[in-house]
PDB file of all heavy atoms in Angstrom:
ATOM      1  N   THR U 294     160.838 126.265  96.355  1.00  0.00           N
ATOM      2  CA  THR U 294     161.763 125.184  96.323  1.00  0.00           C
ATOM      3  C   THR U 294     163.240 125.509  95.834  1.00  0.00           C
ATOM      4  O   THR U 294     163.959 124.599  95.507  1.00  0.00           O
ATOM      5  CB  THR U 294     161.232 124.091  95.446  1.00  0.00           C
ATOM      6  OG1 THR U 294     160.979 124.575  94.081  1.00  0.00           O
ATOM      7  CG2 THR U 294     159.879 123.534  95.964  1.00  0.00           C
ATOM      8  N   CYS U 295     163.494 126.804  95.718  1.00  0.00           N
ATOM      9  CA  CYS U 295     164.813 127.241  95.377  1.00  0.00           C
ATOM     10  C   CYS U 295     165.336 128.147  96.378  1.00  0.00           C
ATOM     11  O   CYS U 295     164.654 128.716  97.194  1.00  0.00           O
ATOM     12  CB  CYS U 295     164.854 127.845  93.969  1.00  0.00           C
ATOM     13  SG  CYS U 295     163.844 129.344  93.792  1.00  0.00           S
ATOM     14  N   ASN U 296     166.673 128.484  96.232  1.00  0.00           N
ATOM     15  CA  ASN U 296     167.262 129.399  97.230  1.00  0.00           C
ATOM     16  C   ASN U 296     166.895 130.821  96.976  1.00  0.00           C
ATOM     17  O   ASN U 296     166.316 131.099  95.774  1.00  0.00           O
ATOM     18  CB  ASN U 296     168.745 129.184  97.434  1.00  0.00           C
ATOM     19  CG  ASN U 296     169.496 129.488  96.093  1.00  0.00           C
ATOM     20  OD1 ASN U 296     169.211 130.481  95.445  1.00  0.00           O
ATOM     21  ND2 ASN U 296     170.483 128.606  95.823  1.00  0.00           N
ATOM     22  N   LEU U 297     167.136 131.797  97.817  1.00  0.00           N
ATOM     23  CA  LEU U 297     166.800 133.154  97.628  1.00  0.00           C
ATOM     24  C   LEU U 297     167.466 133.805  96.503  1.00  0.00           C
ATOM     25  O   LEU U 297     166.865 134.680  95.842  1.00  0.00           O
ATOM     26  CB  LEU U 297     167.019 133.981  98.922  1.00  0.00           C
ATOM     27  CG  LEU U 297     166.091 133.624 100.085  1.00  0.00           C
ATOM     28  CD1 LEU U 297     166.420 134.527 101.321  1.00  0.00           C
ATOM     29  CD2 LEU U 297     164.563 133.885  99.686  1.00  0.00           C
ATOM     30  N   HIS U 298     168.751 133.397  96.215  1.00  0.00           N
ATOM     31  CA  HIS U 298     169.466 134.004  95.066  1.00  0.00           C
ATOM     32  C   HIS U 298     168.726 133.579  93.721  1.00  0.00           C
ATOM     33  O   HIS U 298     168.499 134.389  92.910  1.00  0.00           O
ATOM     34  CB  HIS U 298     170.821 133.447  94.991  1.00  0.00           C
ATOM     35  CG  HIS U 298     171.625 133.966  93.790  1.00  0.00           C
ATOM     36  ND1 HIS U 298     171.982 135.250  93.672  1.00  0.00           N
ATOM     37  CD2 HIS U 298     171.983 133.312  92.701  1.00  0.00           C
ATOM     38  CE1 HIS U 298     172.635 135.366  92.475  1.00  0.00           C
ATOM     39  NE2 HIS U 298     172.687 134.170  91.861  1.00  0.00           N
ATOM     40  N   GLN U 299     168.330 132.324  93.568  1.00  0.00           N
ATOM     41  CA  GLN U 299     167.568 131.881  92.431  1.00  0.00           C
ATOM     42  C   GLN U 299     166.189 132.512  92.299  1.00  0.00           C
ATOM     43  O   GLN U 299     165.801 132.836  91.190  1.00  0.00           O
ATOM     44  CB  GLN U 299     167.396 130.307  92.389  1.00  0.00           C
ATOM     45  CG  GLN U 299     168.793 129.595  92.241  1.00  0.00           C
ATOM     46  CD  GLN U 299     168.663 128.111  92.558  1.00  0.00           C
ATOM     47  OE1 GLN U 299     167.890 127.701  93.467  1.00  0.00           O
ATOM     48  NE2 GLN U 299     169.344 127.244  91.781  1.00  0.00           N
ATOM     49  N   LEU U 300     165.562 132.665  93.470  1.00  0.00           N
ATOM     50  CA  LEU U 300     164.223 133.275  93.494  1.00  0.00           C
ATOM     51  C   LEU U 300     164.312 134.790  93.091  1.00  0.00           C
ATOM     52  O   LEU U 300     163.572 135.206  92.232  1.00  0.00           O
ATOM     53  CB  LEU U 300     163.714 133.152  94.894  1.00  0.00           C
ATOM     54  CG  LEU U 300     162.237 133.409  95.087  1.00  0.00           C
ATOM     55  CD1 LEU U 300     161.350 132.608  94.132  1.00  0.00           C
ATOM     56  CD2 LEU U 300     161.864 133.118  96.550  1.00  0.00           C
ATOM     57  N   SER U 301     165.369 135.393  93.547  1.00  0.00           N
ATOM     58  CA  SER U 301     165.617 136.885  93.197  1.00  0.00           C
ATOM     59  C   SER U 301     165.803 136.911  91.729  1.00  0.00           C
ATOM     60  O   SER U 301     165.367 137.907  91.014  1.00  0.00           O
ATOM     61  CB  SER U 301     166.829 137.386  94.006  1.00  0.00           C
ATOM     62  OG  SER U 301     167.089 138.708  93.614  1.00  0.00           O
ATOM     63  N   LEU U 302     166.650 135.994  91.100  1.00  0.00           N
ATOM     64  CA  LEU U 302     166.986 136.043  89.764  1.00  0.00           C
ATOM     65  C   LEU U 302     165.630 135.834  88.876  1.00  0.00           C
ATOM     66  O   LEU U 302     165.419 136.497  87.864  1.00  0.00           O
ATOM     67  CB  LEU U 302     167.988 134.950  89.381  1.00  0.00           C
ATOM     68  CG  LEU U 302     168.363 134.892  87.961  1.00  0.00           C
ATOM     69  CD1 LEU U 302     168.974 136.141  87.390  1.00  0.00           C
ATOM     70  CD2 LEU U 302     169.354 133.643  87.704  1.00  0.00           C
ATOM     71  N   THR U 303     164.799 134.898  89.325  1.00  0.00           N
ATOM     72  CA  THR U 303     163.577 134.626  88.606  1.00  0.00           C
ATOM     73  C   THR U 303     162.713 135.871  88.676  1.00  0.00           C
ATOM     74  O   THR U 303     162.133 136.174  87.697  1.00  0.00           O
ATOM     75  CB  THR U 303     162.825 133.414  89.294  1.00  0.00           C
ATOM     76  OG1 THR U 303     163.693 132.302  89.278  1.00  0.00           O
ATOM     77  CG2 THR U 303     161.582 133.143  88.524  1.00  0.00           C
ATOM     78  N   MET U 304     162.613 136.482  89.777  1.00  0.00           N
ATOM     79  CA  MET U 304     161.797 137.721  89.888  1.00  0.00           C
ATOM     80  C   MET U 304     162.281 138.843  89.009  1.00  0.00           C
ATOM     81  O   MET U 304     161.592 139.555  88.394  1.00  0.00           O
ATOM     82  CB  MET U 304     161.689 138.196  91.340  1.00  0.00           C
ATOM     83  CG  MET U 304     160.946 137.268  92.318  1.00  0.00           C
ATOM     84  SD  MET U 304     159.204 137.165  91.871  1.00  0.00           S
ATOM     85  CE  MET U 304     158.659 138.811  92.059  1.00  0.00           C
ATOM     86  N   LYS U 305     163.617 138.912  88.906  1.00  0.00           N
ATOM     87  CA  LYS U 305     164.216 139.918  88.017  1.00  0.00           C
ATOM     88  C   LYS U 305     163.919 139.610  86.580  1.00  0.00           C
ATOM     89  O   LYS U 305     163.630 140.488  85.785  1.00  0.00           O
ATOM     90  CB  LYS U 305     165.748 139.872  88.225  1.00  0.00           C
ATOM     91  CG  LYS U 305     166.452 141.000  87.469  1.00  0.00           C
ATOM     92  CD  LYS U 305     167.978 141.059  87.730  1.00  0.00           C
ATOM     93  CE  LYS U 305     168.630 142.126  86.881  1.00  0.00           C
ATOM     94  NZ  LYS U 305     170.085 142.236  87.186  1.00  0.00           N
TER      95      LYS U 305
END
Side-chain angles (χ1 to χ4, degrees):
T294 59
C295 63
N296 64 42
L297 289 179
H298 177 73
Q299 292 169 322
L300 195 53
S301 177
L302 179 61
T303 303
M304 291 299 294
K305 185 176 180 179

